[in-house]
PDB file of all heavy atoms in Angstrom:
ATOM      1  N   PRO A 115      15.105  -1.016   7.103  1.00  0.00           N
ATOM      2  CA  PRO A 115      16.419  -0.367   6.917  1.00  0.00           C
ATOM      3  C   PRO A 115      17.083  -0.735   5.593  1.00  0.00           C
ATOM      4  O   PRO A 115      17.752   0.096   4.989  1.00  0.00           O
ATOM      5  CB  PRO A 115      17.251  -0.869   8.099  1.00  0.00           C
ATOM      6  CG  PRO A 115      16.270  -1.349   9.104  1.00  0.00           C
ATOM      7  CD  PRO A 115      15.074  -1.811   8.328  1.00  0.00           C
ATOM      8  N   VAL A 116      16.886  -1.968   5.132  1.00  0.00           N
ATOM      9  CA  VAL A 116      17.467  -2.387   3.854  1.00  0.00           C
ATOM     10  C   VAL A 116      16.800  -1.628   2.708  1.00  0.00           C
ATOM     11  O   VAL A 116      17.475  -1.174   1.778  1.00  0.00           O
ATOM     12  CB  VAL A 116      17.338  -3.917   3.664  1.00  0.00           C
ATOM     13  CG1 VAL A 116      17.758  -4.338   2.267  1.00  0.00           C
ATOM     14  CG2 VAL A 116      18.153  -4.654   4.713  1.00  0.00           C
ATOM     15  N   VAL A 117      15.482  -1.473   2.790  1.00  0.00           N
ATOM     16  CA  VAL A 117      14.758  -0.720   1.769  1.00  0.00           C
ATOM     17  C   VAL A 117      15.246   0.728   1.761  1.00  0.00           C
ATOM     18  O   VAL A 117      15.531   1.285   0.694  1.00  0.00           O
ATOM     19  CB  VAL A 117      13.231  -0.782   1.997  1.00  0.00           C
ATOM     20  CG1 VAL A 117      12.499   0.178   1.060  1.00  0.00           C
ATOM     21  CG2 VAL A 117      12.726  -2.197   1.807  1.00  0.00           C
ATOM     22  N   ALA A 118      15.362   1.314   2.941  1.00  0.00           N
ATOM     23  CA  ALA A 118      15.808   2.712   3.031  1.00  0.00           C
ATOM     24  C   ALA A 118      17.211   2.876   2.459  1.00  0.00           C
ATOM     25  O   ALA A 118      17.469   3.805   1.678  1.00  0.00           O
ATOM     26  CB  ALA A 118      15.760   3.186   4.471  1.00  0.00           C
ATOM     27  N   LYS A 119      18.106   1.985   2.819  1.00  0.00           N
ATOM     28  CA  LYS A 119      19.496   2.074   2.344  1.00  0.00           C
ATOM     29  C   LYS A 119      19.565   1.880   0.824  1.00  0.00           C
ATOM     30  O   LYS A 119      20.253   2.627   0.126  1.00  0.00           O
ATOM     31  CB  LYS A 119      20.347   1.014   3.045  1.00  0.00           C
ATOM     32  CG  LYS A 119      21.799   1.049   2.670  1.00  0.00           C
ATOM     33  CD  LYS A 119      22.597   0.008   3.435  1.00  0.00           C
ATOM     34  CE  LYS A 119      24.044   0.030   3.022  1.00  0.00           C
ATOM     35  NZ  LYS A 119      24.823  -1.003   3.707  1.00  0.00           N
ATOM     36  N   THR A 120      18.841   0.899   0.321  1.00  0.00           N
ATOM     37  CA  THR A 120      18.830   0.620  -1.113  1.00  0.00           C
ATOM     38  C   THR A 120      18.188   1.775  -1.882  1.00  0.00           C
ATOM     39  O   THR A 120      18.670   2.170  -2.946  1.00  0.00           O
ATOM     40  CB  THR A 120      18.084  -0.698  -1.405  1.00  0.00           C
ATOM     41  OG1 THR A 120      18.661  -1.741  -0.608  1.00  0.00           O
ATOM     42  CG2 THR A 120      18.175  -1.075  -2.864  1.00  0.00           C
ATOM     43  N   ALA A 121      17.121   2.311  -1.343  1.00  0.00           N
ATOM     44  CA  ALA A 121      16.448   3.442  -1.994  1.00  0.00           C
ATOM     45  C   ALA A 121      17.376   4.647  -2.070  1.00  0.00           C
ATOM     46  O   ALA A 121      17.491   5.278  -3.129  1.00  0.00           O
ATOM     47  CB  ALA A 121      15.163   3.798  -1.245  1.00  0.00           C
ATOM     48  N   LYS A 122      18.030   4.963  -0.970  1.00  0.00           N
ATOM     49  CA  LYS A 122      18.964   6.101  -0.964  1.00  0.00           C
ATOM     50  C   LYS A 122      20.106   5.881  -1.945  1.00  0.00           C
ATOM     51  O   LYS A 122      20.484   6.795  -2.678  1.00  0.00           O
ATOM     52  CB  LYS A 122      19.526   6.321   0.446  1.00  0.00           C
ATOM     53  CG  LYS A 122      18.553   6.972   1.383  1.00  0.00           C
ATOM     54  CD  LYS A 122      19.184   7.175   2.748  1.00  0.00           C
ATOM     55  CE  LYS A 122      18.172   7.708   3.738  1.00  0.00           C
ATOM     56  NZ  LYS A 122      18.754   7.864   5.087  1.00  0.00           N
ATOM     57  N   ALA A 123      20.640   4.674  -1.973  1.00  0.00           N
ATOM     58  CA  ALA A 123      21.762   4.370  -2.858  1.00  0.00           C
ATOM     59  C   ALA A 123      21.374   4.488  -4.337  1.00  0.00           C
ATOM     60  O   ALA A 123      22.219   4.760  -5.178  1.00  0.00           O
ATOM     61  CB  ALA A 123      22.291   2.962  -2.581  1.00  0.00           C
ATOM     62  N   ASN A 124      20.096   4.301  -4.628  1.00  0.00           N
ATOM     63  CA  ASN A 124      19.620   4.374  -6.008  1.00  0.00           C
ATOM     64  C   ASN A 124      18.909   5.676  -6.331  1.00  0.00           C
ATOM     65  O   ASN A 124      18.293   5.808  -7.381  1.00  0.00           O
ATOM     66  CB  ASN A 124      18.706   3.179  -6.310  1.00  0.00           C
ATOM     67  CG  ASN A 124      19.482   1.888  -6.409  1.00  0.00           C
ATOM     68  OD1 ASN A 124      20.155   1.650  -7.403  1.00  0.00           O
ATOM     69  ND2 ASN A 124      19.430   1.077  -5.373  1.00  0.00           N
ATOM     70  N   GLY A 125      18.958   6.637  -5.406  1.00  0.00           N
ATOM     71  CA  GLY A 125      18.408   7.964  -5.663  1.00  0.00           C
ATOM     72  C   GLY A 125      16.906   8.098  -5.494  1.00  0.00           C
ATOM     73  O   GLY A 125      16.322   9.054  -5.990  1.00  0.00           O
ATOM     74  N   TYR A 126      16.270   7.153  -4.802  1.00  0.00           N
ATOM     75  CA  TYR A 126      14.822   7.234  -4.585  1.00  0.00           C
ATOM     76  C   TYR A 126      14.521   8.027  -3.317  1.00  0.00           C
ATOM     77  O   TYR A 126      15.233   7.914  -2.327  1.00  0.00           O
ATOM     78  CB  TYR A 126      14.205   5.838  -4.453  1.00  0.00           C
ATOM     79  CG  TYR A 126      14.194   5.078  -5.746  1.00  0.00           C
ATOM     80  CD1 TYR A 126      15.204   4.161  -6.053  1.00  0.00           C
ATOM     81  CD2 TYR A 126      13.190   5.275  -6.678  1.00  0.00           C
ATOM     82  CE1 TYR A 126      15.199   3.467  -7.242  1.00  0.00           C
ATOM     83  CE2 TYR A 126      13.179   4.581  -7.878  1.00  0.00           C
ATOM     84  CZ  TYR A 126      14.181   3.683  -8.146  1.00  0.00           C
ATOM     85  OH  TYR A 126      14.172   3.002  -9.330  1.00  0.00           O
ATOM     86  N   THR A 127      13.466   8.805  -3.389  1.00  0.00           N
ATOM     87  CA  THR A 127      13.040   9.564  -2.209  1.00  0.00           C
ATOM     88  C   THR A 127      11.780   8.977  -1.590  1.00  0.00           C
ATOM     89  O   THR A 127      11.522   9.201  -0.410  1.00  0.00           O
ATOM     90  CB  THR A 127      12.779  11.035  -2.579  1.00  0.00           C
ATOM     91  OG1 THR A 127      11.864  11.091  -3.669  1.00  0.00           O
ATOM     92  CG2 THR A 127      14.072  11.744  -2.948  1.00  0.00           C
ATOM     93  N   ILE A 129       9.303   5.227  -1.694  1.00  0.00           N
ATOM     94  CA  ILE A 129       9.061   3.876  -2.180  1.00  0.00           C
ATOM     95  C   ILE A 129       7.660   3.468  -1.750  1.00  0.00           C
ATOM     96  O   ILE A 129       7.309   3.563  -0.578  1.00  0.00           O
ATOM     97  CB  ILE A 129      10.089   2.868  -1.617  1.00  0.00           C
ATOM     98  CG1 ILE A 129      11.516   3.260  -2.014  1.00  0.00           C
ATOM     99  CG2 ILE A 129       9.771   1.449  -2.063  1.00  0.00           C
ATOM    100  CD1 ILE A 129      11.784   3.230  -3.503  1.00  0.00           C
ATOM    101  N   LEU A 150      12.166  -1.455  -7.233  1.00  0.00           N
ATOM    102  CA  LEU A 150      13.329  -1.629  -6.356  1.00  0.00           C
ATOM    103  C   LEU A 150      13.420  -3.052  -5.804  1.00  0.00           C
ATOM    104  O   LEU A 150      14.376  -3.386  -5.120  1.00  0.00           O
ATOM    105  CB  LEU A 150      13.256  -0.606  -5.205  1.00  0.00           C
ATOM    106  CG  LEU A 150      14.517  -0.317  -4.440  1.00  0.00           C
ATOM    107  CD1 LEU A 150      15.588   0.273  -5.354  1.00  0.00           C
ATOM    108  CD2 LEU A 150      14.255   0.638  -3.300  1.00  0.00           C
TER     109      LEU A 150
END
Side-chain angles (χ1 to χ4, degrees):
V116 172
V117 171
K119 182 178 178 182
T120 306
K122 284 181 185 178
N124 288 285
Y126 290 96
T127 54
I129 300 296
L150 198 62

